[in-house]
Amino acid sequence: MPHFPHPDSGMKVTCAVVTVSDTRTQETDKSGQIIQQLLLDAHHTVGFYTIIPDEPVQIQEQMELVSNTDCDAIIFNGGTGIAPRDTTYDALEKLLEKTLPGFGELFRYLSYQEIGSRAIASRAVAGVFRQKLIFSVPGSSNAVQLAMKKLILPELSHLVNQIHKK
C-alpha cells in the first residue's frame, strides 16, 4: 500500500497516552507501553501517560485535563467494544467538535483483513477537541499496533498541522 509523505511529516508531536481499563496496571499495560514506544521510535514525545477505569465521567475528565496541557494529541486505548463496561466511545464522541469518520472506517477495514467479521464490534473513533487531535482505539495489543503503524503515525504530524492552520 503506498504511503504519501506530507511536507510536515517531520514535525515532532507531543502526545498523551490514556489507557482505559478496570484491570490494567502500569506493569501489565502492554498496549499503553506499545503506543508510547512507537511514538518515541517515530521521534514524537510522550508528554503524559495514565491508566483510568472505564467510567464515562473519568474519561471525560481526563480529556478535559489533558486538553489543558501542551500535548497536541491524545491517544486513548481500551473500552471501544460493545460490552456494558466499554464506555470510551460514548464518553468521547459527545465531546468531539469535529470527527474523522475515515479513521474508524479504515481501522475496521484493516481489522477485518486481520480478524474477519469481528471487526464490526470496534468503535474506534478520531476527531478534534479544543485544538487537540483525539484517537480512541481498542485495547488489544494487535489493534494498537495496527492503528499506530497503519493510520496514526503516518498521519499524526499532518493532522496536527492541519488543526493549527489559520
Side-chain angles (χ1 to χ4, degrees):
M1 189 171 292
H3 172 69
F4 303 100
H6 298 282
D8 53 2
S9 62
M11 182 176 113
K12 190 178 206 177
V13 176
T14 300
C15 298
V17 177
V18 179
T19 295
V20 180
S21 173
D22 292 331
T23 59
R24 292 190 185 160
T25 64
Q26 289 194 358
E27 294 76 34
T28 63
D29 182 21
K30 186 176 175 187
S31 294
Q33 294 165 7
I34 290 169
I35 293 169
Q36 291 178 79
Q37 189 59 56
L38 289 171
L39 286 167
L40 295 173
D41 290 350
H43 307 289
H44 296 297
T45 304
V46 177
F48 181 80
Y49 164 70
T50 193
I51 300 171
I52 59 173
D54 204 331
E55 294 290 342
V57 171
Q58 289 191 40
I59 295 165
Q60 290 174 337
E61 286 173 351
Q62 199 62 56
M63 199 150 123
E64 296 271 349
L65 176 70
V66 177
S67 73
N68 293 320
T69 69
D70 64 350
C71 291
D72 303 300
I74 308 170
I75 304 170
F76 288 87
N77 76 94
T80 63
I82 59 169
R85 292 290 299 157
D86 289 334
T87 62
T88 305
Y89 173 86
D90 306 292
L92 295 180
E93 67 92 20
K94 295 173 187 173
L95 296 178
L96 294 177
E97 297 154 1
K98 291 185 180 185
T99 59
L100 298 171
F103 175 78
E105 294 161 0
L106 283 171
F107 178 80
R108 284 180 285 280
Y109 169 74
L110 293 170
S111 292
Y112 176 77
Q113 294 176 330
E114 289 190 5
I115 64 170
S117 60
R118 288 191 179 186
I120 66 171
S122 169
R123 297 188 298 159
V125 66
V128 178
F129 175 73
R130 294 187 185 161
Q131 301 264 270
K132 308 287 183 186
L133 186 59
I134 309 297
F135 293 102
S136 178
V137 299
S140 80
S141 297
N142 287 342
V144 161
Q145 289 189 57
L146 176 70
M148 290 296 292
K149 291 178 180 178
K150 297 282 188 172
L151 299 172
I152 296 173
L153 289 173
E155 296 301 324
L156 185 61
S157 296
H158 173 70
L159 291 171
V160 168
N161 188 48
Q162 291 295 304
I163 291 170
H164 297 293
K165 267 189 173 177
K166 301 224 177 199

